[in-house]
Amino acid sequence: MTELGGPSRAHRWLAAAWLALLLVVAGHNGWLWLGGGARLETDILAMLPQNRQDTAAQDATRQLADAGARRVVALLGASGWNDARRAADAYAAAIGASGLPLALRYRIDARESGDWLGFYAGYRAQLLGDDARHRLANTPVPTLAEQAAAALFQPVGMPRQGRWQDDPLNLYGQWLGERASQSKVRVRDDRLSLSNGDQHYALVMLEQQGPAFSVSAQQAMLPALAKARQAALAAAPSARVIEAGIPLFAAAASTQAEREVHTIGAGSLLGILLLTVLAFNGVRPRILVTLSIVAGLGCAVSLTMLLFGKLHLITLVFGASLIGVAENYGNNYYAYRLGRPAGERWAMLRGQRSTMWLAFATTAIGYGLLALAPFPGLRQMAVFSVTGLFSAFATVLCCLPFADRGEMPFNGFSQAVGNWRRAWPRWGRNRFTILFAVCAAVICLAGLVRLQANDDVRALQNAPRQLLEDQRRVGELMQMAGPGQFFLVSGASPEQVLQREEALKARLAPLIAAGKFAGVQAISDWVPSESRQTADRALLQRVVFAPGGVLEQAAGLLGQAMPSPSLPPLRPLTIDAWLAAPVSEPLRAQWLGRFGTGYASVVMLRGLAGPAALPALAAAAPAVAGVRFIDKVGEISGLMRHYRQLMTWVIAASYLLVLAMLWRRFGRRAWRALLPTLLASVLTVALLALFGQPLQLFTILALLLILGMGVDYGVFLLADADPRAFLSVTLAAAGTLLAFGLLALSSTPALAAFGLTMLLGISLCWLLNPLFTPSI
């Protein structure tokens, strides 16, 4: 039997069972976060369904990213080489003295250079450049013989490796020269260097040891780099230091995020605490409401991990927004406790239970609809969000009254806030309604006319300008290939992969000649396919070393008799031998090795003229079997667009379902709880457009939250004209604005867009809901 002044036996058992479950969840979370059981996924492509996402492209990109994730490139430049060298020596010495686990690559001694040349020397009879191959195939032998003889008397020419009679046309020297032309980096005074006009640069490369993307290691690198810069400038005051690399961007992003979390988080926490103390005469309600939110998040993490085996970082970020929703239940409980004896709290809770259930259901519908989309990421978000909300809601219903003690009288602040509702105008046949309708229509029309969507992931960049400029400058000076666009080449064997690379390069040659991009960086430039090596060796034997060939005729022109030697048997240069040698280090990351059921490599692009060249590159890929053009920037931007469009439909479906739920409780008055939120959302989008803010995925995600929170406000206000209802709604809105509205101040574009949308939407929901619900 239910008692008016206390909990029923069933309620006690339910609370005990729920508390036991929370203890289990706490233990599970402790094992996850402290015992290393948590598995976090950070790749946004992992949010896509398996049959939609491009696993091959994803793996290729991850492998390329891993290779560059630890590397920092520093260029020490000056107008004189000696100054650049002194600056680089001081820079490298300071890095070495820092004690940090940084692998330093700076000096190349003569032995190392000799090893590089010596590695290829054994294969010289089968290595021909494109120009040399065309020249041998299309130039008469007597002409080639004259050129070979004349080359002996030319004071300046391509450096020759070995004796003249071993390579009378210096084809191996040309092959090495073509390879060297792909990079401006040279060895000078045993140091890596490059020149650009009258500027000389010494190159220093650092590689962070240990796990990639280690935030602590990246941040620890910054002071060492600062000291190295000081040492370089002290050694050569006229020198300029240019640094670039993923660790620098990651360190800047983490430092910025840490600063914002401290400032924005501290501000919102203080504001919420102040509001709670003012409204409820103490911090105990805030502590208990916070515990209900912690219980919700803990349950959400546990169930998500059990169902999915891992937790995506975006799910965590999105799930953190539950704080603003979940606290509504606790705030509503304490708002209705005001002015009531502690003994009535059970009866008060039973009276509020149906309204709270409806508020929970309408919110959960929005989140639950995410699970209908065939995207693992959205399903994970749905499970996380609905579980978190339900757990926080259940904690308030089951446990909060047991921890609630003492009297909670109305104070001046809570009374004043609750009575604000009396001052609100009403929707109806009056001048205010006409004025409001006209203003809202004008804002909506003006905003929607200017509304534009922007899903370009590059618009989300917020790295420091100097860092971006240095990265661009290093890329230009070193002619580095970018990882954003590349060709993925796959085949059944390494030999087939290399053959397809060579076919692709031939296909791209007209685009290079047309200036679409500067060139490619391919493994087959350094390890030709065995079929090409065989063909080149045969061509060389037939044209140069066969009886009556170039060597014999050139020797005759020089008045010497020289028998035509036979080339040594073919010893193919294999990919395994190349990978095992130090010479492969600069391009090793482009060989993906075993890839699915075959093998794969990446052909990168140098000097891409701009996005206008991308369609031509994409069109070139299908012409060669096993070749695909990967545009990671375009792919991620397309992913953002797809999510935005999908979520827009989810929101539309949510409104219909929420209306159905409201209809069961309020009948024909249901629109009064829903229309304010709909108006607030449309006005928010229109105002964002008028402010010049494009529509993007993070805007849509915020609109979904606004639906859940705004309808909650409408439900509470429509169900009860008591000032406590408006006090509860006001505290919830203020807490949400403090928690998420301050994100509008963030320098991170995605967070700023999310925060600004929440700031406008929640403010409008709070302003509009009293217009359509009964007054006190």
Side-chain angles (χ1 to χ4, degrees), residues 373-396:
F375 286 74
L378 291 183
R379 287 177 177 167
Q380 191 178 100
M381 286 183 188
V383 169
F384 189 97
S385 302
V386 173
T387 305
L389 281 180
F390 174 77
S391 302
F393 174 70
T395 303
V396 170

Side-chain angles (χ1 to χ4, degrees), residues 532-556:
R532 169 151 293 180
Q533 293 181 54
T534 303
D536 285 350
R537 180 183 177 282
L539 178 64
L540 193 64
Q541 174 68 52
R542 185 178 73 252
V543 176
V544 178
F545 295 107
V550 172
L551 176 62
E552 192 172 298
Q553 293 193 27

Side-chain angles (χ1 to χ4, degrees), residues 275 412-425 723 726-727 730-731 734 766 770 776:
L275 276 175
F413 178 80
S414 54
Q415 279 186 326
V417 173
N419 289 328
W420 282 353
R421 191 175 177 185
R422 299 178 191 276
W424 243 258
F726 189 70
L727 173 63
T730 301
L731 292 177
W766 180 75
I776 299 174

